[in-house]
Amino acid sequence: MFVLALVLNPFEQLLCFSDKAAVSQFTLHTILLETYRRVRSRPPKNSCSPDEQATYDKEKEKKERSISEAFFSYLAGKGAFADWEQNKAAFEHVNVSISSSDN
């Protein structure tokens, strides 16, 4: 979880890992999916028919695919995350100012 917390922090992402860490985007992706599966590992509420189970499994795969796509977009700074670098300083200024004034 700690590794994911670092990676999912837009100020850190992969900066805290050196080349010697042997941590790739794909390794982190695997960690993310394993964590997601542990958190979301619930069977259907009621027993279901084979067709209902197949539908449930398809939806589960679809959600995991969406998470995978979002994760790689995040790491690449594309899609919804494309303008992060441009707005990072303003975001940090506002949020650090708020955090500092709360103490």
Side-chain angles (χ1 to χ4, degrees), residues 6-63:
L6 285 173
V7 172
L8 295 175
N9 176 344
F11 293 99
E12 297 292 332
Q13 286 190 340
L14 302 176
L15 295 175
C16 53
F17 299 102
S18 72
D19 294 339
K20 295 178 184 177
V23 176
S24 71
Q25 293 179 354
F26 300 105
T27 301
L28 294 169
H29 174 259
T30 300
I31 293 168
L32 176 70
L33 282 182
E34 287 172 352
T35 303
Y36 175 79
R37 287 173 183 150
R38 273 195 305 260
V39 171
R40 300 291 300 178
S41 64
R42 292 183 227 150
K45 291 182 182 181
N46 302 317
S47 60
C48 53
S49 70
D51 287 342
E52 291 170 328
Q53 183 66 44
T55 300
Y56 176 82
D57 292 340
K58 261 187 193 172
E59 282 300 313
K60 196 165 124 181
E61 286 177 19
K62 188 176 173 182
K63 288 177 186 175

Side-chain angles (χ1 to χ4, degrees), residues 38-94:
R38 273 195 305 260
V39 171
R40 300 291 300 178
S41 64
R42 292 183 227 150
K45 291 182 182 181
N46 302 317
S47 60
C48 53
S49 70
D51 287 342
E52 291 170 328
Q53 183 66 44
T55 300
Y56 176 82
D57 292 340
K58 261 187 193 172
E59 282 300 313
K60 196 165 124 181
E61 286 177 19
K62 188 176 173 182
K63 288 177 186 175
E64 288 181 8
R65 193 174 308 115
S66 294
I67 289 168
S68 294
E69 290 170 4
F71 182 69
F72 286 117
S73 291
Y74 167 74
L75 291 178
K78 299 199 177 201
F81 310 100
D83 64 347
W84 169 249
E85 286 301 321
Q86 297 168 341
N87 296 298
K88 184 176 173 178
F91 181 85
E92 185 173 30
H93 175 74
V94 169

